Structures are given as structure tokens and as C-alpha cells.
Amino acid sequence: MPTTTIDLFRFQPDHSDEPYRQQFELEHEEGVTVLDALLQLQNEQDGTIAMRYSCRSAICGSCACKADGRTVLACMEQIEEVKARSGGGTVTIDPIGNFAPLKDLIVDLDPFWEKFKAVKPYLIPDGPAPDKERIVPKEAMQKIEKEAACILCAACYSECNSLAADPEFVGPAAFAWGHRFAGDVRDGERKERVKLYSGDHGVWDCTRCMYCNERCPKGVDPRDAIEKLGGIAFQEGVTSDTGARHAKAFLISMRTGGKLNETLLVPYTDPIKAQLDVPFALKMLMKGKAPSPIPHRVEGLKEVKHLVKNVKEEV
Ligand code: SF4
Ligand code: SF4
């Protein structure tokens, strides 16, 4: 049987105010998951090890943790997979990131649930209840199929760079649920939803690091959902945010010149700041350090315009 050294994050507030690390040598069966290994440790070596888990089948979303710095569902990830990724040495296990630890691998998820509730994760009907069953076309449901697969494990929050910088950022899973309903043809509050999801800490504050897409164990692709919410905001005319204006300037650049026009970007995104920056911008221009304010046109502008049109129709 293989033996693995497990370096475990410990936090036992009943005994110590400070977290510490503890190493265990574990002889285990081939193919055990991280959760199996933790339960074996708990049963055989230290009954005080605390963690959340329930279904052991990647359905309940309770057992997310970090294995060698990467957020995983403990019941989905085999110890050997973690070792293969990290070069075969010690396996470090930590609680998920961006949440305060309460005890060992258990973190305080209250902020996660608050944000989830704040996006109104339920259907708000677009009229009185119909007399008979309302059949939604398959194609319409397919547009929100991925988001409906979210199991609320918070793995995406653990990896989210915007959340690390701004604890108030609403976050990937909540926005995925936001799109689950804003994108539902039966929902009557599409515009109100995108207003709710815009503004401070909203969809435009995502840094597009893509970690949420990469780490989500269920293929929800929350970053894609955020992007689609941005598209709905445009369709509904909810575009007063700095982030929305920035995106709009980018779009105008593409349509008119076929590539990014930095000179247009600042005045469109933040007109007040742009006015204050005029003297500095002029100096840069005179020294040849700023691009020409005259819009440029790339070869093949027609194709770029087609591309923009096609993307718009996809949303
Ligand atoms: S989006 Fe994915 S990673 Fe985030 S909570 Fe849902 S299932 Fe977990
Ligand atoms: S893409 Fe956006 S929401 Fe997703 S992890 Fe990065 S910053 Fe967070």
C-alpha cells in the first residue's frame, strides 16, 4: 500500500488562537480520494480533525478544500492525482481561500450565502400563473443549463482574484445563479436583475482571471455567466457603470477601427478623469508616447465588423 505524507492546516480555536500545520504519515489504499484520506486520518490518528462533507459523490458541494494550493472537491480528487501534479512529495491540505477558517478545514460561509441570497436566486414570474403547464423550448433552457448545474461548493470563491481584492465583490457562483434566472425566458425581472448585479462590487468588477471557470468541478463556467450578464445589461440599456462604458468604448473601437483605440477608451470610460488628464495626454502625444487620437482602421475591418455582429447575436 502507498504511504503519503499529509501536511494539514490545523485551527482549533478551543486550544489555540493561532493556526498551525501538522504532518501525518498515512498508509492508504490505491486510488483513495482526498476526503477518504482525511476520514482515515480522523478515524485512525486524530479524531479532532474537522471538515465538512456529506454525499461523497460530488453532489452536495460540502467538501471543497485546497490540495497543494489548488481548490478541489475532496471527494472528487484522488491523492495520487494531487501527488502527480505536485511532483510526488508531501500533499498539503488547506481550507478554501477567501473565507475565515472556523475550525481546521471548516470555514465561515455566511458571506457566501448572503451574496447568493442577494442576487434573488429564484424565478420571478413575468405574469400571473398560467392555466396550464408552460413548456419552455429546449434551446431556451440550454442557454442556462450550465449555470443550473452549480452545487454551491464555493470552490470558485476560493480562487477568485476580485474577491481577494474586494471582499464585497458579489462573486462567481452568485452571478452564475443570477444568469440562471436573468437568462430564463419565464423571468419577468431581467432588467431589474442586471441593475442589481451592476454597480459597486458587481459584474464589471470581475478581473477576468478565469480561475472560477478553471476550478469549478461541475463545468458551470461562472466567468461566462458574468459575461452573459454584461451582454444582457447592454441589451437592457443598463450601461452607466464605468465597467459598462469601458466595454462600450472597446466595442466602438472594434466597430470603427478594428482594434483597440486607447485614446477613445479613457474619455468614454471616465470623462471627468479624462478632462483632468488632458495636459498630461498632450505632453505624451508631443513626445510620441501616446497613440494618435485619429481613429485608425485595420485591414479587414469588414470581417471584424461581421465578427462583432455575430458575437452580439450570440448573446
Ligand atoms: S460555480 Fe462551480 S465552483 Fe462555483 S459554487 Fe457553483 S459548482 Fe462550485
Ligand atoms: S474570472 Fe472574475 S469571477 Fe471568476 S475568479 Fe476571476 S475575478 Fe473571480
Side-chain angles (χ1 to χ4, degrees):
M1 286 206 289
T3 300
T4 299
T5 307
I6 294 185
D7 179 2
L8 184 64
F9 172 95
R10 301 300 311 266
F11 180 46
Q12 297 274 327
D14 293 345
H15 305 296
S16 163
D17 292 339
E18 291 297 321
Y20 59 97
R21 304 206 70 88
Q22 190 172 3
Q23 292 212 339
F24 298 90
E25 292 298 318
L26 184 71
E27 197 182 16
H28 57 81
E29 302 282 348
E30 293 274 357
V32 292
T33 63
V34 171
L35 181 59
D36 292 334
L38 287 167
L39 289 172
Q40 193 184 334
L41 280 182
Q42 193 188 49
N43 287 333
E44 296 175 1
Q45 299 192 35
D46 187 338
T48 68
I49 294 172
M51 74 207 113
R52 283 194 180 106
Y53 72 100
S54 181
C55 72
R56 304 172 76 165
S57 310
I59 296 169
C60 73
S62 307
C63 67
C65 66
K66 283 191 171 185
D68 274 355
R70 184 187 172 97
T71 307
V72 297
L73 279 189
C75 68
M76 262 179 92
E77 196 80 358
Q78 291 186 1
I79 285 286
E80 296 303 331
E81 288 174 315
V82 183
K83 282 161 92 173
R85 260 205 320 271
S86 63
T90 301
V91 169
T92 63
I93 310 281
D94 289 89
I96 56 172
N98 288 330
F99 294 100
L102 293 176
K103 190 174 186 182
D104 293 341
L105 300 178
I106 298 173
V107 297
D108 180 6
L109 283 172
D110 283 355
F112 177 77
W113 297 117
E114 289 306 318
K115 289 169 183 179
F116 171 64
K117 281 189 274 179
V119 299
K120 302 189 179 176
Y122 40 82
L123 193 76
I124 302 171
D126 56 358
D131 298 335
K132 55 179 186 172
E133 185 185 3
R134 181 173 172 181
I135 309 286
V136 180
K138 195 168 133 200
E139 300 71 39
M141 287 314 285
Q142 278 170 341
K143 289 189 176 179
I144 50 173
E145 200 172 44
K146 281 206 290 187
E147 289 85 347
C150 174
I151 57 171
L152 294 166
C153 68
C156 50
Y157 280 62
S158 170
E159 301 281 345
C160 177
N161 281 308
S162 288
L163 195 62
D166 170 17
E168 300 297 313
F169 178 57
V170 175
F175 283 139
W177 280 81
H179 184 260
R180 156 69 187 85
F181 293 103
D184 191 313
V185 290
R186 298 164 296 178
D187 197 85
E189 299 218 350
R190 193 173 152 94
K191 184 166 187 172
E192 289 70 21
R193 284 186 186 278
V194 282
K195 275 188 191 164
L196 179 67
Y197 309 156
S198 301
D200 290 345
H201 325 297
V203 285
W204 301 104
D205 284 0
C206 162
T207 62
R208 302 168 180 80
C209 70
M210 307 301 279
Y211 274 116
C212 54
N213 279 15
E214 198 184 307
R215 299 288 199 268
C216 172
K218 304 304 276 188
V220 172
D221 289 340
R223 169 58 217 167
D224 296 9
I226 293 172
E227 199 166 299
K228 287 182 252 176
L229 285 174
I232 295 175
F234 268 54
Q235 286 167 352
E236 298 291 341
V238 183
T239 55
S240 56
D241 269 48
T242 309
R245 290 201 304 269
H246 188 81
K248 202 163 185 177
F250 188 84
L251 191 65
I252 293 169
S253 276
M254 289 299 128
R255 277 208 206 111
T256 53
K259 71 172 187 178
L260 183 62
N261 180 347
E262 291 94 341
T263 319
L264 176 78
L265 213 55
V266 183
Y268 217 102
T269 306
D270 191 341
I272 296 171
K273 183 169 182 344
Q275 281 182 29
L276 296 174
D277 283 349
V278 167
F280 179 64
L282 284 175
K283 269 192 211 165
M284 295 253 299
L285 255 179
M286 279 155 65
K287 299 268 181 199
K289 300 278 183 194
S292 163
I294 301 163
H296 43 235
R297 286 173 172 233
V298 296
E299 270 182 47
L301 179 59
K302 213 168 136 195
E303 282 76 21
V304 178
K305 283 184 177 178
H306 272 302
L307 192 61
V308 171
K309 187 167 167 277
N310 288 348
V311 170
K312 217 173 157 191
E313 281 166 8
E314 277 292 303
V315 176

